[in-house]
Amino acid sequence: MKTDGKFRHESLQSRKTIKALLESITKGLGKGELTLSDEDGAITLEPDGLLTLRIRAERAEGNCRLDLRVTWSEDADPPKSKGAPKIS
């Protein structure tokens, strides 16, 4: 039985560190198991099947933001698909 839980983390990091973290996330997605942890807690997720990807980006008054969200359901019908975005 899988247990429910939450993991949240926010900190200042270099581009190099964030790139390494994103690479770890892609590896975890590839193998179907993501474990996220810091000094406050940990969670393990098991992504499988079709996943929903949401990408948002904005620039306003000198502040920039990029949000990446990947969601899936452990036991529901697959989500509707739009196709892959183009990123360069």
Side-chain angles (χ1 to χ4, degrees):
M1 177 178 171
K2 295 182 174 99
T3 59
D4 291 342
K6 290 183 181 181
F7 176 83
R8 295 187 80 122
H9 179 88
E10 183 173 333
S11 61
L12 291 173
Q13 301 292 332
S14 68
R15 281 191 330 227
K16 183 178 179 179
T17 300
I18 291 172
K19 179 180 180 283
L21 290 168
L22 290 172
E23 288 170 348
S24 294
I25 290 170
T26 60
K27 286 180 186 177
L29 286 170
K31 70 178 182 177
E33 181 175 288
L34 282 164
T35 299
L36 300 101
S37 64
D38 64 9
E39 59 276 356
D40 294 328
I43 191 168
T44 297
L45 304 172
E46 297 173 347
D48 193 24
L50 293 175
L51 289 66
T52 299
L53 172 65
R54 183 174 90 179
I55 301 172
R56 292 175 38 186
E58 66 181 74
R59 178 184 298 130
E61 299 176 11
N63 294 307
C64 300
R65 179 177 180 155
L66 172 65
D67 292 325
L68 303 173
R69 180 183 288 187
V70 179
T71 59
W72 64 94
S73 179
E74 294 177 324
D75 52 21
D77 294 331
K80 296 178 184 176
S81 177
K82 281 176 132 180
K86 294 179 182 171
I87 301 173
S88 58

